[in-house]
Coordinates of all heavy atoms in Angstrom, one line a residue:
M1 N -10.1 -18.1 -8.5 CA -11.1 -18.5 -7.5 C -10.6 -17.9 -6.2 O -9.5 -18.0 -5.9 CB -11.2 -20.0 -7.4 CG -12.0 -20.6 -8.5 SD -13.7 -19.9 -8.5 CE -14.7 -21.2 -8.4
L2 N -11.6 -17.5 -5.4 CA -11.3 -17.0 -4.1 C -11.3 -18.2 -3.1 O -12.1 -19.1 -3.2 CB -12.3 -16.0 -3.6 CG -12.3 -14.7 -4.4 CD1 -13.5 -13.8 -3.9 CD2 -11.0 -13.9 -4.2
S3 N -10.4 -18.1 -2.1 CA -10.4 -19.2 -1.1 C -11.6 -19.0 -0.2 O -12.2 -17.9 -0.1 CB -9.1 -19.1 -0.3 OG -9.1 -17.9 0.5
Q4 N -11.9 -20.0 0.5 CA -13.0 -20.0 1.5 C -12.8 -18.9 2.5 O -13.8 -18.3 2.9 CB -13.2 -21.4 2.2 CG -13.8 -22.4 1.2 CD -15.2 -22.1 0.8 OE1 -15.4 -21.3 -0.2 NE2 -16.2 -22.7 1.4
R5 N -11.6 -18.8 3.0 CA -11.3 -17.8 4.0 C -11.6 -16.4 3.5 O -12.1 -15.6 4.2 CB -9.8 -18.0 4.4 CG -9.5 -17.1 5.7 CD -8.1 -17.5 6.1 NE -7.4 -16.2 6.3 CZ -6.2 -15.9 6.1 NH1 -5.4 -16.8 5.6 NH2 -5.7 -14.7 6.3
V6 N -11.2 -16.1 2.3 CA -11.4 -14.8 1.7 C -12.9 -14.5 1.5 O -13.4 -13.4 1.8 CB -10.6 -14.6 0.4 CG1 -11.0 -13.3 -0.3 CG2 -9.1 -14.7 0.6
K7 N -13.6 -15.5 1.0 CA -15.1 -15.4 0.8 C -15.8 -15.1 2.1 O -16.6 -14.3 2.2 CB -15.6 -16.7 0.2 CG -15.3 -16.8 -1.3 CD -15.9 -18.1 -1.8 CE -15.5 -18.3 -3.2 NZ -16.0 -19.6 -3.7
K8 N -15.3 -15.8 3.2 CA -15.9 -15.6 4.5 C -15.7 -14.2 5.0 O -16.6 -13.5 5.6 CB -15.4 -16.7 5.5 CG -16.0 -16.6 6.9 CD -15.6 -17.7 7.7 CE -16.1 -17.7 9.1 NZ -16.9 -16.7 9.6
T9 N -14.5 -13.7 4.8 CA -14.1 -12.4 5.3 C -14.9 -11.3 4.5 O -15.4 -10.4 5.2 CB -12.6 -12.1 5.0 OG1 -11.8 -13.1 5.7 CG2 -12.2 -10.7 5.5
I10 N -15.1 -11.5 3.3 CA -15.9 -10.6 2.5 C -17.4 -10.6 2.9 O -18.0 -9.5 3.1 CB -15.8 -10.9 0.9 CG1 -14.4 -10.6 0.5 CG2 -16.8 -10.1 0.1 CD1 -14.1 -11.1 -0.9
T11 N -17.9 -11.7 3.1 CA -19.3 -11.8 3.5 C -19.5 -11.3 4.9 O -20.6 -10.7 5.3 CB -19.9 -13.2 3.3 OG1 -19.1 -14.1 4.0 CG2 -20.0 -13.6 1.8
D12 N -18.6 -11.6 5.8 CA -18.7 -11.2 7.2 C -18.5 -9.8 7.5 O -19.0 -9.2 8.4 CB -17.8 -12.1 8.1 CG -18.2 -13.5 8.2 OD1 -19.3 -13.8 7.8 OD2 -17.4 -14.3 8.8
N13 N -17.6 -9.2 6.7 CA -17.2 -7.8 6.9 C -17.1 -7.0 5.6 O -16.0 -6.7 5.2 CB -15.9 -7.7 7.7 CG -15.7 -6.4 8.4 OD1 -16.4 -5.4 8.0 ND2 -14.7 -6.4 9.3
P14 N -18.2 -6.7 4.9 CA -18.1 -6.0 3.6 C -17.4 -4.6 3.7 O -16.8 -4.1 2.8 CB -19.5 -5.9 3.2 CG -20.4 -6.1 4.4 CD -19.5 -6.9 5.4
K15 N -17.5 -3.9 4.9 CA -16.8 -2.6 5.0 C -15.3 -2.7 4.9 O -14.7 -1.8 4.4 CB -17.2 -2.0 6.4 CG -18.5 -1.3 6.4 CD -18.7 -0.6 7.7 CE -20.0 0.2 7.7 NZ -20.2 1.0 8.9
K16 N -14.8 -3.8 5.4 CA -13.3 -4.0 5.3 C -12.9 -4.1 3.8 O -11.9 -3.5 3.4 CB -12.9 -5.3 6.0 CG -11.5 -5.5 6.3 CD -11.2 -6.7 7.1 CE -10.6 -6.3 8.4 NZ -10.2 -7.4 9.2
L17 N -13.6 -4.8 3.0 CA -13.4 -4.9 1.6 C -13.6 -3.5 0.9 O -12.7 -3.1 0.1 CB -14.2 -5.9 0.9 CG -14.1 -6.0 -0.6 CD1 -12.7 -6.5 -0.9 CD2 -15.1 -6.9 -1.2
A18 N -14.6 -2.8 1.3 CA -14.9 -1.5 0.7 C -13.8 -0.5 1.0 O -13.4 0.3 0.1 CB -16.2 -1.0 1.2
N19 N -13.2 -0.6 2.2 CA -12.1 0.3 2.5 C -10.9 0.1 1.6 O -10.1 1.0 1.3 CB -11.7 0.2 4.0 CG -12.7 0.7 4.9 OD1 -13.5 1.6 4.5 ND2 -12.7 0.3 6.1
L20 N -10.7 -1.2 1.1 CA -9.6 -1.5 0.3 C -9.8 -1.0 -1.2 O -8.9 -0.7 -1.8 CB -9.3 -3.0 0.3 CG -8.6 -3.6 1.5 CD1 -8.6 -5.1 1.4 CD2 -7.2 -3.0 1.6
I21 N -11.0 -1.1 -1.6 CA -11.3 -0.9 -3.1 C -11.9 0.5 -3.4 O -12.0 0.8 -4.6 CB -12.1 -2.0 -3.7 CG1 -13.4 -2.2 -3.1 CG2 -11.3 -3.3 -3.6 CD1 -14.3 -3.2 -3.7
D22 N -12.4 1.2 -2.4 CA -13.0 2.5 -2.7 C -12.0 3.5 -3.2 O -10.9 3.6 -2.7 CB -13.7 3.1 -1.5 CG -15.0 2.4 -1.2 OD1 -15.6 1.7 -2.0 OD2 -15.6 2.6 0.0
L23 N -12.4 4.3 -4.2 CA -11.5 5.4 -4.7 C -11.5 6.5 -3.7 O -12.5 6.9 -3.1 CB -12.0 5.9 -6.0 CG -11.9 4.9 -7.2 CD1 -12.4 5.5 -8.5 CD2 -10.5 4.4 -7.4
V24 N -10.3 7.1 -3.5 CA -10.1 8.1 -2.5 C -9.3 9.2 -3.1 O -8.4 9.0 -3.9 CB -9.4 7.6 -1.2 CG1 -9.0 8.6 -0.3 CG2 -10.2 6.5 -0.6
N25 N -9.6 10.5 -2.8 CA -8.8 11.6 -3.2 C -7.5 11.6 -2.5 O -7.5 11.5 -1.2 CB -9.5 12.9 -3.0 CG -10.7 13.1 -3.9 OD1 -10.6 12.7 -5.1 ND2 -11.7 13.7 -3.4
L26 N -6.4 11.6 -3.2 CA -5.1 11.4 -2.5 C -4.4 12.8 -2.1 O -4.6 13.8 -2.8 CB -4.1 10.7 -3.5 CG -4.6 9.3 -4.0 CD1 -3.6 8.8 -5.1 CD2 -4.5 8.4 -2.8
P27 N -3.6 12.7 -1.1 CA -2.8 13.9 -0.7 C -1.7 14.1 -1.8 O -1.4 13.2 -2.5 CB -2.2 13.6 0.6 CG -2.4 12.1 0.9 CD -3.5 11.7 -0.1
S28 N -1.2 15.3 -1.9 CA -0.3 15.6 -3.0 C 1.0 14.7 -3.1 O 1.4 14.4 -4.2 CB 0.2 17.1 -2.9 OG 0.9 17.3 -1.6
T29 N 1.5 14.3 -2.0 CA 2.7 13.5 -2.0 C 2.4 12.1 -2.7 O 3.2 11.7 -3.5 CB 3.3 13.2 -0.6 OG1 2.3 12.7 0.2 CG2 3.9 14.5 0.0
V30 N 1.3 11.5 -2.3 CA 1.0 10.2 -2.9 C 0.5 10.4 -4.3 O 0.8 9.6 -5.2 CB -0.1 9.5 -2.1 CG1 -0.5 8.2 -2.6 CG2 0.3 9.4 -0.6
R31 N -0.2 11.5 -4.6 CA -0.7 11.8 -6.0 C 0.5 11.9 -6.9 O 0.5 11.4 -8.0 CB -1.5 13.1 -6.0 CG -2.2 13.4 -7.2 CD -3.0 14.7 -7.2 NE -3.8 14.8 -6.0 CZ -3.8 15.9 -5.3 NH1 -3.1 17.0 -5.7 NH2 -4.5 16.0 -4.2
E32 N 1.6 12.5 -6.5 CA 2.8 12.7 -7.4 C 3.4 11.3 -7.6 O 3.9 11.0 -8.7 CB 3.8 13.6 -6.7 CG 3.3 15.0 -6.8 CD 4.2 15.9 -5.9 OE1 5.3 15.5 -5.5 OE2 3.8 17.1 -5.7
F33 N 3.5 10.5 -6.6 CA 4.1 9.1 -6.7 C 3.3 8.2 -7.6 O 3.8 7.6 -8.5 CB 4.2 8.5 -5.3 CG 4.9 7.2 -5.3 CD1 6.2 7.1 -5.2 CD2 4.1 6.0 -5.5 CE1 6.9 5.8 -5.3 CE2 4.8 4.8 -5.5 CZ 6.1 4.7 -5.4
V34 N 1.9 8.2 -7.4 CA 1.0 7.3 -8.1 C 0.8 7.8 -9.5 O 0.6 7.1 -10.5 CB -0.3 7.1 -7.3 CG1 -1.3 6.3 -8.1 CG2 0.0 6.4 -6.0
G35 N 0.7 9.2 -9.7 CA 0.4 9.7 -11.0 C -1.1 9.8 -11.2 O -1.5 10.0 -12.4
Q36 N -1.9 9.7 -10.2 CA -3.4 9.8 -10.3 C -3.9 10.7 -9.1 O -3.3 10.7 -8.1 CB -4.1 8.5 -10.3 CG -3.9 7.6 -11.5 CD -4.6 6.3 -11.3 OE1 -4.0 5.4 -10.8 NE2 -5.8 6.2 -11.7
S37 N -5.1 11.3 -9.3 CA -5.6 12.0 -8.2 C -6.5 11.1 -7.3 O -6.7 11.5 -6.1 CB -6.4 13.2 -8.7 OG -7.5 12.8 -9.5
Q38 N -7.0 10.0 -7.8 CA -7.8 9.1 -7.1 C -7.3 7.7 -7.3 O -7.0 7.3 -8.4 CB -9.3 9.2 -7.5 CG -10.0 10.4 -7.0 CD -11.5 10.3 -7.3 OE1 -11.9 9.6 -8.2 NE2 -12.3 10.9 -6.4
I39 N -7.3 6.9 -6.2 CA -7.0 5.5 -6.4 C -7.4 4.8 -5.1 O -7.6 5.4 -4.0 CB -5.5 5.3 -6.6 CG1 -5.1 3.9 -7.1 CG2 -4.7 5.6 -5.3 CD1 -3.7 3.8 -7.6
S40 N -7.6 3.5 -5.2 CA -8.0 2.7 -4.0 C -6.7 2.4 -3.2 O -5.6 2.5 -3.7 CB -8.7 1.4 -4.4 OG -7.8 0.6 -5.0
R41 N -6.9 2.1 -1.9 CA -5.8 1.7 -1.1 C -5.1 0.5 -1.6 O -3.8 0.4 -1.7 CB -6.3 1.4 0.4 CG -5.2 1.5 1.4 CD -5.8 1.6 2.8 NE -6.0 0.2 3.2 CZ -6.9 -0.1 4.2 NH1 -7.7 0.8 4.7 NH2 -7.1 -1.3 4.5
L42 N -5.8 -0.5 -2.1 CA -5.2 -1.7 -2.7 C -4.5 -1.3 -4.0 O -3.3 -1.8 -4.2 CB -6.3 -2.7 -3.0 CG -5.9 -4.0 -3.6 CD1 -4.9 -4.7 -2.7 CD2 -7.1 -4.9 -3.9
G43 N -5.0 -0.4 -4.8 CA -4.4 0.0 -6.0 C -3.1 0.7 -5.7 O -2.1 0.6 -6.4
C44 N -3.1 1.6 -4.7 CA -1.9 2.3 -4.3 C -0.8 1.3 -3.8 O 0.3 1.5 -4.2 CB -2.3 3.3 -3.2 SG -0.9 4.3 -2.7
F45 N -1.2 0.4 -3.0 CA -0.2 -0.6 -2.5 C 0.4 -1.4 -3.7 O 1.6 -1.6 -3.7 CB -0.9 -1.6 -1.6 CG 0.1 -2.7 -1.1 CD1 1.0 -2.4 -0.1 CD2 0.1 -3.9 -1.6 CE1 1.9 -3.3 0.4 CE2 1.0 -4.9 -1.2 CZ 1.9 -4.6 -0.2
M46 N -0.5 -1.7 -4.7 CA 0.1 -2.5 -5.8 C 1.0 -1.6 -6.6 O 2.0 -2.1 -7.1 CB -1.1 -2.9 -6.7 CG -1.9 -4.0 -6.0 SD -3.4 -4.5 -6.8 CE -2.8 -5.2 -8.3
R47 N 0.8 -0.3 -6.8 CA 1.7 0.6 -7.5 C 3.0 0.7 -6.7 O 4.1 0.7 -7.3 CB 1.1 2.0 -7.6 CG -0.1 2.1 -8.5 CD 0.4 2.4 -9.9 NE -0.7 2.4 -10.8 CZ -1.3 3.5 -11.3 NH1 -0.9 4.7 -10.9 NH2 -2.3 3.4 -12.1
V48 N 2.9 0.8 -5.4 CA 4.2 0.9 -4.6 C 5.0 -0.4 -4.8 O 6.2 -0.3 -5.0 CB 3.9 1.2 -3.1 CG1 5.1 1.0 -2.3 CG2 3.3 2.6 -3.0
W49 N 4.3 -1.5 -4.7 CA 5.0 -2.8 -4.8 C 5.6 -2.9 -6.2 O 6.8 -3.4 -6.3 CB 4.0 -4.0 -4.5 CG 4.7 -5.3 -4.7 CD1 4.4 -6.2 -5.6 CD2 5.8 -5.8 -3.9 NE1 5.2 -7.3 -5.4 CE2 6.1 -7.1 -4.4 CE3 6.5 -5.3 -2.8 CZ2 7.1 -7.8 -3.8 CZ3 7.5 -6.1 -2.3 CH2 7.8 -7.3 -2.8
S50 N 4.9 -2.5 -7.2 CA 5.4 -2.6 -8.6 C 6.7 -1.7 -8.7 O 7.7 -2.1 -9.3 CB 4.4 -2.1 -9.6 OG 4.9 -2.0 -10.9
Y51 N 6.6 -0.5 -8.1 CA 7.8 0.4 -8.1 C 9.0 -0.2 -7.4 O 10.1 -0.1 -7.9 CB 7.4 1.7 -7.4 CG 8.5 2.8 -7.4 CD1 8.7 3.6 -8.5 CD2 9.3 2.9 -6.3 CE1 9.7 4.5 -8.5 CE2 10.3 3.9 -6.3 CZ 10.5 4.7 -7.4 OH 11.5 5.6 -7.3
I52 N 8.7 -0.9 -6.3 CA 9.8 -1.5 -5.6 C 10.5 -2.6 -6.4 O 11.7 -2.7 -6.5 CB 9.3 -2.1 -4.2 CG1 9.0 -1.0 -3.3 CG2 10.3 -3.0 -3.6 CD1 8.2 -1.4 -2.0
K53 N 9.7 -3.4 -7.0 CA 10.2 -4.5 -7.9 C 10.9 -4.0 -9.1 O 12.0 -4.5 -9.5 CB 9.1 -5.5 -8.3 CG 8.4 -6.2 -7.1 CD 9.4 -7.1 -6.4 CE 9.4 -8.4 -7.1 NZ 10.3 -9.4 -6.4
T54 N 10.3 -3.0 -9.8 CA 10.9 -2.4 -11.0 C 12.3 -1.8 -10.7 O 13.2 -1.9 -11.5 CB 9.9 -1.4 -11.6 OG1 8.7 -2.0 -11.9 CG2 10.5 -0.8 -12.9
N55 N 12.4 -1.1 -9.6 CA 13.6 -0.4 -9.3 C 14.6 -1.2 -8.4 O 15.5 -0.7 -7.9 CB 13.3 0.9 -8.6 CG 12.6 1.9 -9.6 OD1 13.2 2.3 -10.6 ND2 11.4 2.1 -9.4
N56 N 14.3 -2.5 -8.2 CA 15.2 -3.4 -7.4 C 15.5 -2.8 -6.0 O 16.7 -2.7 -5.7 CB 16.4 -3.7 -8.1 CG 16.2 -4.5 -9.4 OD1 15.3 -5.4 -9.4 ND2 16.8 -4.2 -10.5
L57 N 14.5 -2.4 -5.3 CA 14.7 -1.7 -4.0 C 14.7 -2.7 -2.8 O 14.9 -2.3 -1.7 CB 13.6 -0.6 -3.8 CG 13.7 0.5 -4.8 CD1 12.6 1.5 -4.5 CD2 15.1 1.2 -4.7
Q58 N 14.4 -4.0 -3.1 CA 14.5 -4.9 -2.0 C 16.0 -5.2 -1.7 O 16.8 -5.2 -2.5 CB 13.8 -6.3 -2.4 CG 12.3 -6.3 -2.2 CD 11.8 -7.6 -2.5 OE1 11.7 -8.0 -3.7 NE2 11.3 -8.3 -1.5
D59 N 16.2 -5.3 -0.4 CA 17.6 -5.5 0.1 C 18.1 -6.9 -0.5 O 17.4 -7.8 -0.5 CB 17.6 -5.5 1.6 CG 19.0 -5.5 2.2 OD1 19.6 -4.4 2.1 OD2 19.5 -6.6 2.7
A60 N 19.3 -6.9 -0.9 CA 19.9 -8.1 -1.5 C 20.0 -9.2 -0.5 O 19.9 -10.4 -0.8 CB 21.2 -7.8 -2.2
N61 N 20.4 -8.9 0.7 CA 20.6 -9.9 1.8 C 19.3 -10.3 2.5 O 19.3 -11.4 3.0 CB 21.6 -9.3 2.8 CG 23.0 -9.0 2.2 OD1 23.4 -9.7 1.3 ND2 23.6 -8.0 2.6
N62 N 18.4 -9.4 2.6 CA 17.1 -9.7 3.3 C 16.0 -9.2 2.5 O 15.7 -8.0 2.5 CB 17.2 -9.0 4.7 CG 15.9 -9.3 5.5 OD1 15.0 -10.0 5.1 ND2 15.9 -8.8 6.7
K63 N 15.3 -10.1 1.8 CA 14.2 -9.7 0.9 C 13.0 -9.1 1.6 O 12.1 -8.6 1.0 CB 13.8 -10.9 0.1 CG 14.8 -11.3 -0.9 CD 15.0 -10.3 -2.0 CE 15.9 -10.8 -3.1 NZ 16.2 -9.9 -4.1
N64 N 13.0 -9.2 3.0 CA 11.9 -8.6 3.7 C 12.1 -7.1 4.0 O 11.2 -6.5 4.7 CB 11.7 -9.4 5.0 CG 11.1 -10.8 4.8 OD1 10.3 -11.0 3.9 ND2 11.6 -11.7 5.6
V65 N 13.2 -6.6 3.5 CA 13.5 -5.2 3.8 C 13.5 -4.4 2.4 O 14.1 -4.9 1.5 CB 14.8 -5.0 4.5 CG1 15.2 -3.6 4.7 CG2 14.8 -5.7 5.9
V66 N 13.0 -3.2 2.4 CA 13.0 -2.4 1.2 C 13.9 -1.2 1.5 O 13.7 -0.5 2.6 CB 11.6 -1.9 0.9 CG1 11.6 -0.9 -0.3 CG2 10.6 -3.0 0.6
N67 N 14.9 -1.0 0.7 CA 15.7 0.2 0.7 C 15.1 1.3 -0.1 O 15.0 1.2 -1.3 CB 17.1 -0.1 0.2 CG 17.8 -1.2 1.0 OD1 17.8 -1.1 2.2 ND2 18.4 -2.1 0.3
C68 N 14.6 2.3 0.6 CA 13.8 3.4 -0.1 C 14.7 4.4 -0.8 O 15.7 4.9 -0.2 CB 13.0 4.1 1.0 SG 11.8 3.1 1.8
D69 N 14.3 4.7 -2.0 CA 15.0 5.8 -2.7 C 14.2 7.1 -2.3 O 13.3 7.1 -1.6 CB 15.0 5.6 -4.2 CG 13.7 5.5 -4.9 OD1 12.6 5.6 -4.2 OD2 13.6 5.3 -6.1
E70 N 14.6 8.3 -2.9 CA 14.0 9.5 -2.5 C 12.5 9.6 -2.8 O 11.7 10.1 -2.0 CB 14.8 10.7 -3.2 CG 16.1 11.0 -2.6 CD 16.2 11.2 -1.1 OE1 15.3 12.0 -0.6 OE2 17.0 10.6 -0.5
K71 N 12.1 9.1 -3.9 CA 10.7 9.1 -4.3 C 9.9 8.3 -3.4 O 8.8 8.7 -3.0 CB 10.6 8.6 -5.8 CG 9.2 8.7 -6.4 CD 9.2 8.4 -7.8 CE 7.8 8.5 -8.4 NZ 7.7 8.1 -9.8
L72 N 10.4 7.1 -3.0 CA 9.6 6.2 -2.1 C 9.6 6.8 -0.7 O 8.6 6.7 0.0 CB 10.2 4.8 -2.1 CG 9.4 3.7 -1.5 CD1 8.0 3.6 -2.2 CD2 10.1 2.4 -1.7
K73 N 10.7 7.4 -0.3 CA 10.8 8.0 1.1 C 9.7 9.1 1.2 O 9.2 9.3 2.3 CB 12.1 8.7 1.3 CG 13.2 7.8 1.7 CD 14.5 8.7 2.0 CE 15.7 7.8 2.2 NZ 16.9 8.6 2.4
S74 N 9.3 9.8 0.1 CA 8.3 10.8 0.2 C 7.0 10.3 0.7 O 6.2 11.1 1.3 CB 8.2 11.5 -1.1 OG 7.6 10.7 -2.1
I75 N 6.6 9.1 0.5 CA 5.4 8.6 0.9 C 5.5 7.6 2.1 O 4.5 7.2 2.7 CB 4.6 7.9 -0.2 CG1 5.3 6.6 -0.7 CG2 4.3 8.9 -1.3 CD1 4.4 5.8 -1.6
L76 N 6.7 7.2 2.5 CA 6.9 6.3 3.6 C 7.5 7.0 4.8 O 8.5 6.5 5.4 CB 7.7 5.1 3.1 CG 7.1 4.2 2.1 CD1 8.0 3.1 1.7 CD2 5.7 3.7 2.5
L77 N 7.1 8.2 5.1 CA 7.5 9.0 6.2 C 9.0 9.3 6.3 O 9.5 9.4 7.4 CB 7.0 8.3 7.5 CG 5.6 7.9 7.6 CD1 5.3 7.2 8.9 CD2 4.7 9.1 7.6
G78 N 9.6 9.3 5.2 CA 11.0 9.7 5.1 C 12.0 8.6 5.6 O 13.2 8.9 5.8
R79 N 11.5 7.4 5.8 CA 12.3 6.3 6.3 C 13.2 5.7 5.1 O 12.8 5.6 4.0 CB 11.5 5.2 6.8 CG 10.7 5.7 8.1 CD 9.7 4.8 8.6 NE 10.3 3.5 9.0 CZ 9.6 2.5 9.5 NH1 8.3 2.7 9.7 NH2 10.2 1.4 9.9
S80 N 14.5 5.4 5.5 CA 15.4 4.9 4.5 C 15.2 3.4 4.3 O 15.5 2.9 3.2 CB 16.8 5.2 4.8 OG 17.1 4.7 6.1
Q81 N 14.8 2.7 5.3 CA 14.5 1.2 5.1 C 13.2 0.9 5.8 O 12.8 1.5 6.8 CB 15.6 0.4 5.8 CG 16.8 0.2 5.0 CD 17.7 -0.9 5.6 OE1 17.7 -1.1 6.8 NE2 18.4 -1.5 4.7
V82 N 12.4 0.0 5.2 CA 11.1 -0.4 5.7 C 10.9 -1.9 5.5 O 11.4 -2.5 4.5 CB 10.0 0.3 4.8 CG1 8.6 -0.1 5.2 CG2 10.1 1.8 4.9
E83 N 10.4 -2.5 6.6 CA 10.1 -3.9 6.5 C 8.8 -4.1 5.6 O 7.9 -3.2 5.6 CB 9.7 -4.5 7.9 CG 10.8 -4.4 8.8 CD 11.7 -5.7 8.8 OE1 11.2 -6.7 8.3 OE2 12.9 -5.6 9.2
L84 N 8.8 -5.2 4.8 CA 7.6 -5.4 3.9 C 6.3 -5.5 4.7 O 5.3 -5.0 4.2 CB 7.8 -6.7 3.1 CG 8.8 -6.7 1.9 CD1 8.9 -8.0 1.3 CD2 8.3 -5.6 1.0
A85 N 6.4 -6.0 5.9 CA 5.2 -6.1 6.7 C 4.6 -4.8 7.1 O 3.5 -4.6 7.5 CB 5.5 -7.0 8.0
E86 N 5.5 -3.7 7.1 CA 5.1 -2.4 7.5 C 4.4 -1.6 6.4 O 3.7 -0.6 6.6 CB 6.3 -1.6 8.0 CG 6.9 -2.1 9.3 CD 8.1 -1.3 9.6 OE1 9.1 -1.3 8.8 OE2 8.1 -0.6 10.7
L87 N 4.7 -2.0 5.1 CA 4.2 -1.3 4.0 C 2.7 -1.0 4.0 O 2.3 0.2 3.8 CB 4.5 -2.0 2.7 CG 5.9 -1.7 2.1 CD1 6.1 -2.5 0.8 CD2 6.0 -0.2 1.8
P88 N 1.8 -2.0 4.2 CA 0.4 -1.7 4.2 C 0.0 -0.6 5.2 O -0.8 0.3 4.9 CB -0.3 -3.0 4.5 CG 0.7 -4.0 4.1 CD 2.0 -3.4 4.4
E89 N 0.6 -0.7 6.4 CA 0.2 0.3 7.5 C 0.7 1.7 7.1 O 0.1 2.7 7.4 CB 0.8 -0.1 8.8 CG 0.0 -1.2 9.5 CD -1.4 -0.9 9.8 OE1 -1.7 0.2 10.3 OE2 -2.3 -1.7 9.5
L90 N 1.9 1.8 6.5 CA 2.4 3.1 6.1 C 1.6 3.7 5.0 O 1.4 4.9 5.0 CB 3.9 3.0 5.7 CG 4.9 2.7 6.9 CD1 6.3 2.3 6.4 CD2 4.9 3.8 7.9
I91 N 1.2 2.9 4.1 CA 0.3 3.4 3.0 C -1.0 3.8 3.5 O -1.6 4.8 3.1 CB 0.2 2.3 1.9 CG1 1.6 2.2 1.2 CG2 -0.8 2.7 0.8 CD1 1.7 1.0 0.3
K92 N -1.5 3.0 4.4 CA -2.9 3.3 5.0 C -2.9 4.7 5.7 O -4.0 5.3 5.7 CB -3.2 2.2 6.0 CG -4.6 2.3 6.6 CD -4.8 1.1 7.6 CE -6.1 1.2 8.3 NZ -6.3 0.1 9.3
L93 N -1.8 5.2 6.2 CA -1.8 6.5 6.8 C -2.2 7.6 5.9 O -2.6 8.7 6.3 CB -0.4 6.8 7.4 CG 0.1 5.9 8.5 CD1 1.6 6.2 8.8 CD2 -0.8 6.0 9.7
H94 N -2.0 7.4 4.6 CA -2.3 8.5 3.6 C -3.8 8.5 3.2 O -4.3 9.4 2.5 CB -1.5 8.3 2.3 CG 0.0 8.5 2.6 ND1 0.5 9.7 2.8 CD2 1.0 7.6 2.7 CE1 1.8 9.6 3.0 NE2 2.1 8.3 2.9
F95 N -4.6 7.5 3.7 CA -6.0 7.4 3.3 C -6.8 7.8 4.5 O -6.7 7.3 5.6 CB -6.3 5.9 2.9 CG -5.7 5.6 1.5 CD1 -4.4 5.3 1.4 CD2 -6.5 5.7 0.4 CE1 -3.8 5.0 0.2 CE2 -5.9 5.5 -0.8 CZ -4.6 5.1 -0.9
P96 N -7.8 8.7 4.3 CA -8.6 9.1 5.4 C -9.5 7.9 6.0 O -9.9 7.0 5.2 CB -9.5 10.2 4.8 CG -9.5 9.9 3.4 CD -8.2 9.3 3.1
K97 N -9.7 8.0 7.3 CA -10.5 6.9 7.9 C -12.0 7.1 7.5 O -12.5 8.2 7.5 CB -10.4 7.1 9.4 CG -11.0 5.9 10.1 CD -10.6 5.9 11.6 CE -11.1 4.6 12.2 NZ -10.5 4.3 13.5
A98 N -12.6 6.0 7.1 CA -14.0 6.0 6.6 C -14.9 6.2 7.8 O -14.7 5.7 8.9 CB -14.3 4.7 5.9
P99 N -15.9 7.1 7.6 CA -16.9 7.3 8.7 C -17.7 6.0 9.0 O -17.9 5.2 8.1 CB -17.8 8.4 8.1 CG -17.6 8.3 6.7 CD -16.3 7.8 6.4
K100 N -18.0 5.8 10.3 CA -18.7 4.6 10.7 C -20.2 4.7 10.3 O -20.8 5.7 10.3 CB -18.5 4.4 12.1 CG -17.1 4.0 12.4 CD -17.0 3.6 13.9 CE -15.5 3.2 14.2 NZ -15.3 2.7 15.5

């Protein structure tokens, strides 16, 4: 079930939801990482998060920090460490802005 807050956000701003779930043609770096030519922003974020968890890339001392390996660096602007809160914004950079 969706919370009241999520339902309200969806009904008040359907474009925001559409930006998360619309399929987009990916640039080559993200395409290689994800293994698909099209994916939604939400799907891409979920793939990146799954990759982080599978490869134990979260910092042992601070779980809010991700230690990037070479493959992850390729889509996160070459950074060696990234805060979890920064991940959505860094992934969003690879997706073209939707026309108004």
